[in-house]
Amino acid sequence: MFRILVLSIVFTSVVLTQQSPDGMFRVEQKKKISRDITDEQLITYTIFDRDGREIYSVIREAAYDAAFPSAGIFNSGKLVIIDSFSGLVEFYDTDGEKLRSKHFPGADDVEHERKIDFSLHNDRAAFIVSEPAHPDSRLMVFDETGNLLLLRTIEAPYTTGIVYSPDGSLLAVGTYRWIGKSLEENSYFLTDDGEIVGYVDTGFQHGSFSDDGVYFIGYSNSHAHLINIEEYEVLWSHEREDDSIIIQAAWHPTTGILVLTSDKPVLQAGKWVYNNPIVRTLDTIGGDVISAREFPGATFSAGNFLKDNDEIKLLLDDSIHILD
């Protein structure tokens, strides 16, 4: 069984896409695993502008038996690459030249799994780092050239996500801890200089603020919560349908909140494949389902909502769908 799994993985090629905060650039990550485990394993980051023109690319080696490095793109088109295994963050200019490399505190210890989540705003990148050896999590903010602007701890041993508000004045941080056999989840909201100004008793893995910064939609693969930031109150929760998972939630400019779901993924040829995606539009006030659009027979490995001016498009792998 182990040999079959290895042979499946080595032929895998996966493309993931992430946009800059203003939607002007996107970075595509193409992962290719060597056929021979003694060879190097590479990942290519390619940056495109909003018109689909390729700007530059960066090729980076990745370690075997470890998570692939993640990437984000600033509004300027500069690239940041985050390697959670080595605890390294790298900053690149718009020609693909490396500007600076930084190791997070304690990054020399790789005897356990380190979790790093990040969010970008204009020319800043916020990172939240948690790992089993530390009782607290560490929040760090860098500028787009790799200068450290903020370092502080948060009294939570495990984190699940971090998101900037549209104006950059707030950060949402998802956390959890075990108290005996009980799981305690929290979402903290911090100012730009690291001061905690409020929290709610629910967590999130991903999320986004409304354009006016009054609401926050936080979600995991099982549920989505709408939070009022002014009152720090959970207004409603949306649970997934049976045998389905939530992949992404996003704000529609006019109609409400979009939630992308699919059947639970299956492992095919070494990669997870999703089937039967559905985009539901939820009413912002009450969380009721206003409409649902199905894509019968569609399969994909990566699904994302893409912002294009005042329009939201659905990207399933390299297939773009217009959402009415």
Side-chain angles (χ1 to χ4, degrees), residues 119-152:
S119 181
L120 306 184
H121 175 73
N122 289 344
D123 61 352
R124 287 171 290 166
F127 301 88
I128 190 73
V129 183
S130 61
E131 44 196 328
H134 294 263
D136 299 321
S137 300
R138 285 154 289 162
L139 171 67
M140 281 160 280
V141 178
F142 293 86
D143 68 16
E144 64 181 359
T145 64
N147 292 311
L148 181 64
L149 305 177
L150 173 69
L151 171 61
R152 67 151 293 172

Short mmCIF file of all heavy atoms in Angstrom, two decimals, residues 119-152:
data_model
loop_
_atom_site.label_atom_id
_atom_site.label_comp_id
_atom_site.label_asym_id
_atom_site.label_seq_id
_atom_site.Cartn_x
_atom_site.Cartn_y
_atom_site.Cartn_z
N SER A 119 -2.00 37.00 6.36
CA SER A 119 -2.93 37.86 5.62
C SER A 119 -2.18 39.09 5.15
O SER A 119 -1.28 39.58 5.85
CB SER A 119 -4.11 38.26 6.52
OG SER A 119 -5.04 39.07 5.80
N LEU A 120 -2.54 39.58 3.97
CA LEU A 120 -1.86 40.74 3.38
C LEU A 120 -2.81 41.93 3.32
O LEU A 120 -4.02 41.78 3.13
CB LEU A 120 -1.37 40.43 1.97
CG LEU A 120 -0.48 39.19 1.78
CD1 LEU A 120 -0.01 39.12 0.34
CD2 LEU A 120 0.69 39.21 2.73
N HIS A 121 -2.24 43.13 3.48
CA HIS A 121 -2.98 44.38 3.27
C HIS A 121 -2.02 45.41 2.71
O HIS A 121 -1.02 45.76 3.34
CB HIS A 121 -3.58 44.89 4.58
CG HIS A 121 -4.23 46.24 4.42
ND1 HIS A 121 -5.43 46.40 3.79
CD2 HIS A 121 -3.82 47.48 4.79
CE1 HIS A 121 -5.75 47.69 3.78
NE2 HIS A 121 -4.78 48.37 4.38
N ASN A 122 -2.34 45.91 1.49
CA ASN A 122 -1.48 46.88 0.83
C ASN A 122 -0.03 46.41 0.83
O ASN A 122 0.31 45.46 0.14
CB ASN A 122 -1.63 48.26 1.47
CG ASN A 122 -2.97 48.89 1.17
OD1 ASN A 122 -3.68 48.47 0.26
ND2 ASN A 122 -3.33 49.90 1.93
N ASP A 123 0.82 47.05 1.65
CA ASP A 123 2.24 46.68 1.67
C ASP A 123 2.64 45.99 2.96
O ASP A 123 3.81 45.98 3.33
CB ASP A 123 3.11 47.92 1.45
CG ASP A 123 2.91 48.98 2.54
OD1 ASP A 123 1.99 48.81 3.37
OD2 ASP A 123 3.68 49.96 2.56
N ARG A 124 1.67 45.39 3.66
CA ARG A 124 1.95 44.70 4.93
C ARG A 124 1.52 43.24 4.88
O ARG A 124 0.57 42.89 4.18
CB ARG A 124 1.24 45.40 6.09
CG ARG A 124 1.85 46.74 6.49
CD ARG A 124 0.96 47.43 7.50
NE ARG A 124 -0.29 47.90 6.88
CZ ARG A 124 -1.35 48.30 7.55
NH1 ARG A 124 -1.34 48.26 8.88
NH2 ARG A 124 -2.42 48.74 6.93
N ALA A 125 2.21 42.43 5.65
CA ALA A 125 1.87 41.01 5.79
C ALA A 125 1.86 40.65 7.27
O ALA A 125 2.84 40.88 7.97
CB ALA A 125 2.89 40.14 5.05
N ALA A 126 0.73 40.13 7.75
CA ALA A 126 0.59 39.71 9.14
C ALA A 126 0.64 38.20 9.22
O ALA A 126 -0.03 37.51 8.43
CB ALA A 126 -0.72 40.24 9.73
N PHE A 127 1.42 37.67 10.17
CA PHE A 127 1.58 36.24 10.35
C PHE A 127 1.20 35.87 11.78
O PHE A 127 1.55 36.58 12.73
CB PHE A 127 3.03 35.82 10.11
CG PHE A 127 3.54 36.15 8.74
CD1 PHE A 127 4.12 37.39 8.49
CD2 PHE A 127 3.45 35.24 7.71
CE1 PHE A 127 4.60 37.71 7.23
CE2 PHE A 127 3.93 35.54 6.45
CZ PHE A 127 4.50 36.79 6.21
N ILE A 128 0.50 34.74 11.94
CA ILE A 128 0.24 34.20 13.26
C ILE A 128 0.84 32.79 13.29
O ILE A 128 0.56 31.97 12.40
CB ILE A 128 -1.27 34.19 13.60
CG1 ILE A 128 -1.50 33.85 15.06
CG2 ILE A 128 -2.07 33.31 12.67
CD1 ILE A 128 -1.14 34.95 16.02
N VAL A 129 1.70 32.55 14.26
CA VAL A 129 2.47 31.31 14.33
C VAL A 129 2.14 30.58 15.61
O VAL A 129 2.19 31.15 16.71
CB VAL A 129 3.99 31.61 14.29
CG1 VAL A 129 4.78 30.30 14.29
CG2 VAL A 129 4.34 32.45 13.07
N SER A 130 1.81 29.30 15.50
CA SER A 130 1.57 28.47 16.68
C SER A 130 2.27 27.13 16.49
O SER A 130 2.39 26.63 15.37
CB SER A 130 0.07 28.27 16.92
OG SER A 130 -0.54 27.60 15.83
N GLU A 131 2.75 26.58 17.59
CA GLU A 131 3.42 25.29 17.56
C GLU A 131 3.35 24.67 18.94
O GLU A 131 3.30 25.38 19.96
CB GLU A 131 4.86 25.43 17.08
CG GLU A 131 5.62 26.60 17.68
CD GLU A 131 6.88 26.90 16.88
OE1 GLU A 131 7.47 25.96 16.32
OE2 GLU A 131 7.27 28.07 16.82
N PRO A 132 3.30 23.34 19.01
CA PRO A 132 3.05 22.65 20.28
C PRO A 132 4.01 23.00 21.41
O PRO A 132 3.64 22.94 22.58
CB PRO A 132 3.17 21.17 19.89
CG PRO A 132 2.84 21.13 18.44
CD PRO A 132 3.38 22.40 17.87
N ALA A 133 5.24 23.38 21.10
CA ALA A 133 6.23 23.65 22.16
C ALA A 133 6.01 24.99 22.84
O ALA A 133 6.64 25.27 23.86
CB ALA A 133 7.63 23.59 21.58
N HIS A 134 5.12 25.84 22.30
CA HIS A 134 4.91 27.17 22.86
C HIS A 134 3.49 27.31 23.42
O HIS A 134 2.52 26.96 22.74
CB HIS A 134 5.13 28.24 21.78
CG HIS A 134 6.54 28.34 21.30
ND1 HIS A 134 7.44 29.25 21.79
CD2 HIS A 134 7.21 27.60 20.38
CE1 HIS A 134 8.60 29.09 21.17
NE2 HIS A 134 8.49 28.09 20.32
N PRO A 135 3.33 27.82 24.63
CA PRO A 135 2.00 27.99 25.22
C PRO A 135 1.22 29.15 24.60
O PRO A 135 0.00 29.20 24.70
CB PRO A 135 2.29 28.26 26.70
CG PRO A 135 3.66 28.89 26.70
CD PRO A 135 4.40 28.22 25.58
N ASP A 136 1.93 30.09 23.97
CA ASP A 136 1.30 31.23 23.33
C ASP A 136 1.57 31.20 21.83
O ASP A 136 2.49 30.53 21.35
CB ASP A 136 1.83 32.55 23.90
CG ASP A 136 1.56 32.67 25.40
OD1 ASP A 136 0.46 32.26 25.82
OD2 ASP A 136 2.45 33.16 26.12
N SER A 137 0.75 31.97 21.10
CA SER A 137 0.98 32.15 19.67
C SER A 137 1.65 33.50 19.44
O SER A 137 1.54 34.41 20.25
CB SER A 137 -0.35 32.08 18.91
OG SER A 137 -0.96 30.83 19.11
N ARG A 138 2.36 33.62 18.34
CA ARG A 138 3.11 34.84 18.06
C ARG A 138 2.55 35.53 16.83
O ARG A 138 2.38 34.91 15.77
CB ARG A 138 4.59 34.50 17.85
CG ARG A 138 5.34 34.18 19.13
CD ARG A 138 6.52 33.28 18.87
NE ARG A 138 6.09 31.93 18.53
CZ ARG A 138 6.88 31.05 17.94
NH1 ARG A 138 8.11 31.36 17.61
NH2 ARG A 138 6.42 29.84 17.67
N LEU A 139 2.25 36.81 16.98
CA LEU A 139 1.77 37.65 15.89
C LEU A 139 2.92 38.52 15.40
O LEU A 139 3.57 39.21 16.20
CB LEU A 139 0.61 38.53 16.36
CG LEU A 139 0.14 39.61 15.38
CD1 LEU A 139 -0.49 38.98 14.14
CD2 LEU A 139 -0.84 40.56 16.06
N MET A 140 3.18 38.49 14.10
CA MET A 140 4.23 39.31 13.51
C MET A 140 3.70 40.02 12.27
O MET A 140 2.93 39.43 11.51
CB MET A 140 5.44 38.44 13.13
CG MET A 140 6.33 38.07 14.29
SD MET A 140 7.38 36.64 13.96
CE MET A 140 6.21 35.32 14.24
N VAL A 141 4.10 41.27 12.10
CA VAL A 141 3.73 42.05 10.92
C VAL A 141 5.02 42.55 10.26
O VAL A 141 5.88 43.13 10.93
CB VAL A 141 2.82 43.23 11.28
CG1 VAL A 141 2.49 44.05 10.04
CG2 VAL A 141 1.52 42.73 11.93
N PHE A 142 5.14 42.32 8.95
CA PHE A 142 6.26 42.80 8.16
C PHE A 142 5.76 43.73 7.07
O PHE A 142 4.60 43.65 6.65
CB PHE A 142 6.98 41.63 7.47
CG PHE A 142 7.69 40.68 8.40
CD1 PHE A 142 7.01 39.62 9.00
CD2 PHE A 142 9.04 40.82 8.66
CE1 PHE A 142 7.66 38.74 9.84
CE2 PHE A 142 9.71 39.95 9.50
CZ PHE A 142 9.02 38.90 10.10
N ASP A 143 6.64 44.60 6.56
CA ASP A 143 6.29 45.32 5.35
C ASP A 143 6.67 44.45 4.15
O ASP A 143 7.24 43.36 4.31
CB ASP A 143 6.93 46.71 5.30
CG ASP A 143 8.45 46.69 5.15
OD1 ASP A 143 9.01 45.64 4.78
OD2 ASP A 143 9.07 47.73 5.40
N GLU A 144 6.39 44.92 2.94
CA GLU A 144 6.56 44.08 1.75
C GLU A 144 8.02 43.84 1.38
O GLU A 144 8.30 43.02 0.51
CB GLU A 144 5.81 44.69 0.57
CG GLU A 144 6.34 46.03 0.13
CD GLU A 144 5.56 46.61 -1.03
OE1 GLU A 144 4.61 45.95 -1.50
OE2 GLU A 144 5.89 47.73 -1.47
N THR A 145 8.94 44.53 2.04
CA THR A 145 10.36 44.27 1.80
C THR A 145 10.99 43.42 2.89
O THR A 145 12.19 43.13 2.84
CB THR A 145 11.14 45.60 1.69
OG1 THR A 145 11.09 46.29 2.94
CG2 THR A 145 10.58 46.47 0.59
N GLY A 146 10.20 43.02 3.90
CA GLY A 146 10.70 42.13 4.93
C GLY A 146 11.13 42.78 6.22
O GLY A 146 11.72 42.12 7.08
N ASN A 147 10.83 44.07 6.39
CA ASN A 147 11.14 44.74 7.65
C ASN A 147 10.08 44.39 8.70
O ASN A 147 8.88 44.47 8.42
CB ASN A 147 11.17 46.26 7.47
CG ASN A 147 12.34 46.71 6.62
OD1 ASN A 147 13.47 46.31 6.86
ND2 ASN A 147 12.07 47.54 5.63
N LEU A 148 10.51 44.01 9.91
CA LEU A 148 9.60 43.65 10.98
C LEU A 148 9.00 44.91 11.59
O LEU A 148 9.71 45.80 12.06
CB LEU A 148 10.33 42.84 12.05
CG LEU A 148 9.48 42.38 13.24
CD1 LEU A 148 8.40 41.41 12.79
CD2 LEU A 148 10.38 41.72 14.30
N LEU A 149 7.66 44.99 11.61
CA LEU A 149 6.95 46.15 12.15
C LEU A 149 6.33 45.87 13.51
O LEU A 149 6.19 46.79 14.32
CB LEU A 149 5.85 46.59 11.18
CG LEU A 149 6.27 46.90 9.74
CD1 LEU A 149 5.04 47.25 8.90
CD2 LEU A 149 7.29 48.01 9.71
N LEU A 150 5.96 44.61 13.80
CA LEU A 150 5.27 44.28 15.05
C LEU A 150 5.56 42.84 15.43
O LEU A 150 5.58 41.95 14.58
CB LEU A 150 3.75 44.47 14.88
CG LEU A 150 2.86 44.01 16.05
CD1 LEU A 150 3.06 44.91 17.25
CD2 LEU A 150 1.39 43.99 15.64
N LEU A 151 5.78 42.63 16.73
CA LEU A 151 5.92 41.28 17.28
C LEU A 151 5.27 41.27 18.65
O LEU A 151 5.63 42.07 19.52
CB LEU A 151 7.40 40.89 17.40
CG LEU A 151 7.71 39.59 18.16
CD1 LEU A 151 7.07 38.40 17.48
CD2 LEU A 151 9.22 39.40 18.30
N ARG A 152 4.28 40.38 18.85
CA ARG A 152 3.65 40.24 20.14
C ARG A 152 3.08 38.83 20.27
O ARG A 152 2.99 38.09 19.28
CB ARG A 152 2.52 41.26 20.34
CG ARG A 152 1.30 41.08 19.45
CD ARG A 152 0.03 41.59 20.13
NE ARG A 152 -0.31 40.75 21.28
CZ ARG A 152 -1.28 41.05 22.16
NH1 ARG A 152 -1.96 42.19 22.01
NH2 ARG A 152 -1.57 40.25 23.15
#
